Amino acid sequence: MTDIAGHDFRATGEPADAEEAEAPGQAPNGTRPIGVVLDVAGAGATIALDSERLNQCAGDADPALAIAGQVGSPVKIRAGDDWLLGNVRTQRQDRRGTGGIIAEVDFLGEGTEEKLTGRVRGFRRGVTRYPVPGGMVFAASTNDLRHVYAGDGRAFIEVGTVFPTRDIRAGLYIDQLLGKHFALLGSTGTGKSTTTALMLHRICEASPQGHVIMIDPHGEYASAFRTNGAILDVGNLKMPYWLMNFEEHCEILLTSRGDDRQVDADILAKCLLEARSKNRMAEGLGKITVDSPVPYLLSDLSAALNREMGDLDKATGSAPYMRIKTKLDEVKSDPRYQFLFSGMLVGDTMGEFLARILRLPTDGKPISIIDVSGVPSDITTTVVAVLSRLVFDYASWAREERTRPILLVCEEAHRYVPSEKHFDASAVGKVLSRIAKEGRKYGVALGLVTQRPSDLAEGVLSQCGTIISMRLNNERDQAFVRAAMPEGARGFLDSIPALRNRECIICGEGAAVPMRVTFDTLEEAKRPASEDPSFSALWRETGGEEEALQRIVQRWRSHS
């Protein structure tokens, strides 16, 4: 048998592996070449594949050998006494009409050869010695891949099975996954929420004394973490309004735009500082600023506004004061804002509030699910900004202590850190961008979950050391992720549009090498409430509509 380059593939002198043997008298597919190296570059090589050998491999019982030569399949190339592992990125027919196949291969890393079997051992990233044109190309077997994906002693979590094998477990290194941030991307309906829950459950199981905060914008995750998580929503969050800094106060209390907004901001700053200064705590602290988390009474802020409005020496009319005062009265009386502006929240509960959301101590519940679905839409981003900033500020002020790291996970991340063209200079965008850039210095890990990566700030995504991409249907999203992923993962990236539900491509610091993974099935009780409704089934049912409608209207009116 001869390939398109004239190489004889019938005998190679490679040692046979009894576990991979074919029919009696035949060399196993894993030890007979399937192609030859034509050209070599820094990150990959061009190879010629023998179509007859690929057809022989297609019937192999080993699923890794059965897809030999296909796009996304692993191959190994002889490089001196070692093996160089690669991944097939593209295929095309040889234009010379020989019936052969030309393929592009991306290098993944290298390993030593096990002399008795010829398999790969001691796999490591990077390339020390390159192959030469004319070198033999072999299909990588499941036993080869077992050593490639084997753990190296670092703490890890198992999330699924490596494609194309049936039993090799896909592991993510916890310290690298969290220490350098991660992003989970995928179109709606691909299993993104269930995958997020799966990863967080495995992280909590591996680290029962961990500190995880999940920002849940749709109320999906409460059902998934009832046994091992603290569920916080507008009913029990009790977030003190005075914890907001000046910028966050402006986002809620200022309604003007343009030049008027700066005038209103100056007035609010002066009155807010005056209100904070009235607290006895301010006297003990000495100098405070408008950003200092010192409790104050809303009545003191309102009184300061009235006093300034009545001052005859003021440079402006009364309109700016009335705008701020009207908005302040509105949020004080609106029941939807009671979780934030309740008069019961004026006491110094900063330590208690931080302990609740940061899980200090964990008390067997290492994760806080903060359900912001009931927060009024006009202040949702501000509430997320306050929570995120408190996490970062706590970590930065705790550098003198031996504090434990914190993981902050944001669902629908593109809403909070939008791309430059949608950027509105919001407080939440600034704080999450800062966490992405500086968080690891202070022990704050960031996990971003989004269905629209192209709407996410590129600078923030580039800070994510591990990218987990499920199927993306939008070409702009695919291109955006392709630009963010490392060079060696290009072959895997091309398969993103063809992924099934619950499949993903993982690459970056948290994975040994780029890999395609089928996620584990999560137990029913641990899944988020994110399943799509069954139209065909539900539209066959009837009865109880009147009672349900009354309950819905009651909840609607009472905002509960």
Side-chain angles (χ1 to χ4, degrees):
M1 183 191 324
T2 305
D3 82 330
I4 58 175
H7 291 271
D8 186 6
F9 288 163
R10 284 176 296 187
T12 67
E14 294 293 335
D17 185 347
E19 293 178 15
E20 297 175 346
E22 294 174 314
Q26 289 185 331
N29 286 319
T31 59
R32 294 168 59 198
I34 60 171
V36 64
V37 176
L38 299 180
D39 299 305
V40 179
T46 303
I47 63 174
L49 296 172
D50 178 32
S51 56
E52 188 174 340
R53 281 288 297 120
L54 299 187
N55 289 334
Q56 291 175 356
C57 290
D60 201 288
D62 184 336
L65 295 177
I67 66 165
Q70 295 182 23
V71 172
S73 66
V75 295
K76 57 183 184 179
I77 303 172
R78 177 72 73 187
D81 294 331
D82 293 334
W83 286 117
L84 190 61
L85 269 292
N87 183 70
V88 177
R89 175 160 47 92
T90 62
Q91 277 186 347
R92 69 177 187 272
Q93 190 171 18
D94 183 28
R95 295 186 177 86
R96 293 178 296 178
T98 60
I101 298 170
I102 304 297
E104 300 293 332
V105 172
D106 295 321
F107 295 146
L108 299 177
E110 59 189 6
T112 56
E113 179 186 8
E114 190 178 65
K115 295 301 180 183
L116 292 177
T117 64
R119 292 193 302 233
V120 178
R121 279 202 180 278
F123 178 81
R124 56 198 178 274
R125 279 184 175 180
V127 181
T128 304
R129 183 170 183 176
Y130 286 91
V132 295
M136 294 290 104
V137 178
F138 299 80
S141 68
T142 294
N143 286 318
D144 290 324
L145 298 180
R146 207 178 303 282
H147 293 287
V148 172
Y149 295 108
D152 58 6
R154 292 178 286 178
F156 69 95
I157 56 172
E158 292 183 352
V159 293
T161 306
V162 177
F163 176 87
T165 70
R166 300 189 186 97
D167 59 355
I168 295 181
R169 301 294 290 155
L172 292 173
Y173 296 117
I174 297 176
D175 292 336
Q176 287 66 34
L177 176 73
L178 304 184
K180 297 185 179 178
H181 311 313
F182 70 88
L184 174 57
L185 319 171
S187 296
T188 301
T190 57
K192 187 171 72 281
S193 298
T194 305
T195 299
T196 303
L198 169 68
M199 290 180 59
L200 293 180
H201 274 298
R202 296 288 162 84
I203 290 171
C204 291
E205 290 164 6
S207 308
Q209 300 302 320
H211 304 276
V212 183
I213 300 172
M214 154 65 85
I215 305 295
D216 179 9
H218 302 303
E220 296 177 334
Y221 292 90
S223 60
F225 293 92
R226 291 201 182 279
T227 58
N228 62 341
I231 313 302
L232 304 174
D233 55 21
V234 292
N236 64 353
L237 184 58
K238 298 179 182 177
M239 187 170 79
Y241 58 86
W242 48 266
L243 283 177
M244 295 189 295
N245 63 18
F246 175 62
E247 184 178 11
E248 292 150 3
H249 272 87
C250 289
E251 288 192 353
I252 292 182
L253 297 178
L254 301 189
T255 57
S256 53
R257 292 289 180 267
D259 295 338
D260 287 343
R261 189 173 182 84
Q262 185 57 53
V263 173
D264 292 5
D266 293 340
I267 293 170
L268 179 60
K270 184 176 181 179
C271 296
L272 180 58
L273 181 58
E274 182 180 330
R276 289 195 193 275
S277 300
K278 287 185 176 296
N279 191 291
R280 289 182 180 178
M281 186 185 301
E283 299 175 4
L285 294 173
K287 184 176 178 60
I288 67 168
T289 69
V290 288
D291 290 329
S292 299
V294 174
Y296 72 89
L297 293 170
L298 291 175
S299 57
D300 285 341
L301 178 58
S302 184
L305 285 167
N306 286 332
R307 195 161 41 252
E308 288 292 320
M309 184 167 57
D311 190 347
L312 297 177
D313 296 332
K314 62 180 180 290
T316 62
S318 60
Y321 300 90
M322 290 304 300
R323 283 195 295 263
I324 300 173
K325 195 170 183 307
T326 300
K327 184 63 177 179
L328 181 61
D329 292 339
E330 177 187 324
V331 297
K332 285 167 59 179
S333 60
D334 193 329
R336 298 177 302 161
Y337 293 82
Q338 287 302 295
F339 76 97
L340 179 60
F341 286 102
S342 170
M344 302 295 291
L345 301 174
V346 73
D348 183 14
T349 57
M350 183 173 180
E352 176 188 333
F353 182 72
L354 287 173
R356 288 174 64 222
I357 65 170
L358 299 178
R359 309 307 305 146
L360 302 168
T362 57
D363 292 329
K365 295 185 176 183
I367 184 169
S368 293
I369 302 297
I370 302 181
D371 177 1
V372 295
S373 61
V375 175
S377 58
D378 56 331
I379 66 165
T380 300
T381 57
T382 306
V383 170
V384 175
V386 175
L387 295 168
S388 304
R389 181 183 53 78
L390 287 175
V391 170
F392 183 78
D393 285 352
Y394 167 80
S396 60
W397 285 108
R399 295 191 75 177
E400 300 292 325
E401 310 287 337
R402 183 176 171 79
T403 55
R404 297 181 179 90
I406 301 165
L407 169 61
L408 176 65
V409 182
C410 287
E411 258 276 17
E412 300 285 1
H414 59 276
R415 291 170 50 178
Y416 308 125
V417 259
S419 59
E420 285 70 16
K421 66 179 180 179
H422 297 126
F423 194 70
D424 57 0
S426 63
V428 67
K430 293 176 183 176
V431 69
L432 289 178
S433 295
R434 190 177 181 194
I435 291 175
K437 295 171 185 175
E438 305 173 28
R440 60 193 182 93
K441 300 176 185 176
Y442 303 102
V444 180
L446 184 63
L448 302 176
V449 184
T450 180
Q451 58 186 327
R452 292 302 305 271
S454 60
D455 288 343
L456 193 67
E458 187 173 0
V460 173
L461 186 62
S462 67
Q463 297 292 327
C464 294
T466 305
I467 294 182
I468 304 164
S469 179
M470 306 183 79
R471 186 175 69 250
L472 291 167
N473 301 323
N474 185 284
E475 288 187 9
R476 194 159 58 95
D477 291 332
Q478 296 166 18
F480 195 78
V481 174
R482 190 174 289 111
M485 282 193 173
E487 187 79 5
R490 288 184 302 173
F492 292 90
L493 291 175
D494 291 338
S495 64
I496 284 179
L499 294 174
R500 298 187 182 95
N501 289 354
R502 294 180 42 248
E503 277 192 340
C504 75
I505 303 299
I506 304 177
C507 71
E509 301 291 337
V513 290
M515 54 186 172
R516 179 173 171 177
V517 174
T518 301
F519 283 112
D520 292 338
T521 300
L522 193 60
E523 298 95 316
E524 187 74 33
K526 295 182 177 181
R527 295 178 191 172
S530 58
E531 291 188 3
D532 296 330
S534 172
F535 288 81
S536 58
L538 294 175
W539 279 358
R540 291 195 190 101
E541 300 176 2
T542 186
E545 290 90 345
E546 295 85 356
E547 296 81 358
L549 184 58
Q550 289 178 4
R551 293 192 297 269
I552 292 169
V553 170
Q554 180 61 31
R555 287 196 298 270
W556 194 342
R557 284 175 173 161
S558 61
H559 301 285
S560 63

